[in-house]
Amino acid sequence: MSTEADTRLQPQTRKSGLTRRQRRAVSRGVQYVVFIAGLVAIGVTADWERLRNQFAQADLAKELFPDIITLALRNTVLYTVSGFVFGLVVGMVIALMRLSSVGPYRWFAGVYIEIFRGLPALLIFIFVGVGVPLAFPGTEIPGGTYGKVALALGLVAAAYMAETIRAGIQAVPKGQMEAARSLGFSHARAMVSIIIPQAFRIVIPPLTNELVLLFKDSSLVLFLGVTLEERELAKFGRDLASTNANSTPILVAGLCYLLITVPLGFVVRRLEAKAGEATK
């Protein structure tokens, strides 16, 4: 019976005339053709002259320098770094509370993570800018706008970093803690000296990715009400686009974002590749 079945299958195979590898090659070829055809269609139908006039005025782009670098990009980097540092510190505390044997600590950490991961970052910025002064009359956040941005970005980032750090700590083999305790280390000293350093080597790639996300979220600073000297890239580009009735400043601001995010993205991929090699 198997011979008869093989005989029946042979004509079908000859009828198709293609092996599985050949069919995959044809499928890829069709996809390439469709993709290229789509690009050509966009290139032919788009009004490039109108786009150039609206987004690529060279004279206007030159007028943005050096302020877009020395002011807007500098502020964006300062906002991002301050928010990242604050978020990392708070995230570490929340992660340790999440792993604590004390019930109220775990509950507080769980509620914090769920709330700040569930709320849009925009609402956190509005809360920091409006809610905090109302809740604590007469209290000024240290650092002015920079302090407010660090607080808002840090509160959002800490919720994500806490879960990342917690996962990194739990990824360290339990034998490391047991070995440290057998050598006379206290639990706290073993965590600080042995477990946490190993955990950070594991979580560096996702933390770097969080830095990229914070860099883009720093554009929400405009909802805090900033002065001309405190503008970041998005606010800087939008203001000048409105002044000149042209979107070239927005395009230049976007390119400045890419100057930071593209290299950081490359670093994240390299770190992930190294982490993958280390686990093999």
Side-chain angles (χ1 to χ4, degrees), residues 33-96:
V33 170
V34 171
F35 178 71
I36 294 173
L39 292 179
V40 172
I42 293 173
V44 171
T45 58
D47 191 337
W48 295 105
E49 184 62 24
R50 292 184 64 184
L51 287 173
R52 187 188 67 80
N53 291 333
Q54 183 64 25
F55 289 96
Q57 290 289 339
D59 294 339
L60 180 55
K62 290 179 182 178
E63 295 177 4
L64 304 179
F65 294 89
D67 287 348
I68 196 170
I69 301 296
T70 59
L71 177 66
L73 182 58
R74 181 203 66 187
N75 284 337
T76 299
V77 172
L78 289 176
Y79 293 149
T80 303
V81 172
S82 60
F84 181 82
V85 172
F86 182 80
L88 185 61
V89 173
V90 176
M92 172 61 72
V93 174
I94 296 297
L96 294 176

Side-chain angles (χ1 to χ4, degrees), residues 63-64 100 136 147 193 245 261-263:
E63 295 177 4
L64 304 179
S100 174
F136 305 98
S193 302
T261 57
V262 170

Side-chain angles (χ1 to χ4, degrees), residues 176-248:
Q176 297 288 323
M177 175 61 76
E178 296 172 355
R181 296 302 299 272
S182 67
L183 293 173
F185 283 65
S186 66
H187 183 274
R189 185 183 175 190
M191 287 291 293
V192 172
S193 302
I194 297 175
I195 304 301
I196 291 178
Q198 293 186 64
F200 265 93
R201 283 196 292 270
I202 296 172
V203 302
I204 282 177
L207 287 181
T208 307
N209 193 54
E210 182 63 30
L211 180 62
V212 175
L213 297 177
L214 283 182
F215 189 77
K216 294 183 291 185
D217 284 344
S218 65
S219 62
L220 296 173
V221 69
L222 63 93
F223 291 98
L224 296 177
V226 296
T227 65
L228 293 177
E229 295 299 319
E230 294 170 340
R231 291 178 298 176
E232 41 68 55
L233 282 171
K235 174 69 172 171
F236 184 89
R238 194 183 70 166
D239 286 351
L240 291 180
S242 299
T243 301
N244 295 277
N246 189 276
S247 299
T248 298

Side-chain angles (χ1 to χ4, degrees), residues 112-151:
Y112 177 94
I113 290 171
E114 292 302 323
I115 289 177
F116 284 93
R117 285 201 309 179
L119 290 176
L122 171 60
L123 296 184
I124 305 302
F125 271 81
I126 294 175
F127 171 76
V128 169
V130 179
V132 172
L134 290 176
F136 305 98
T139 301
E140 290 290 336
I141 297 176
T145 300
Y146 295 96
K148 293 178 183 178
V149 176
L151 177 61

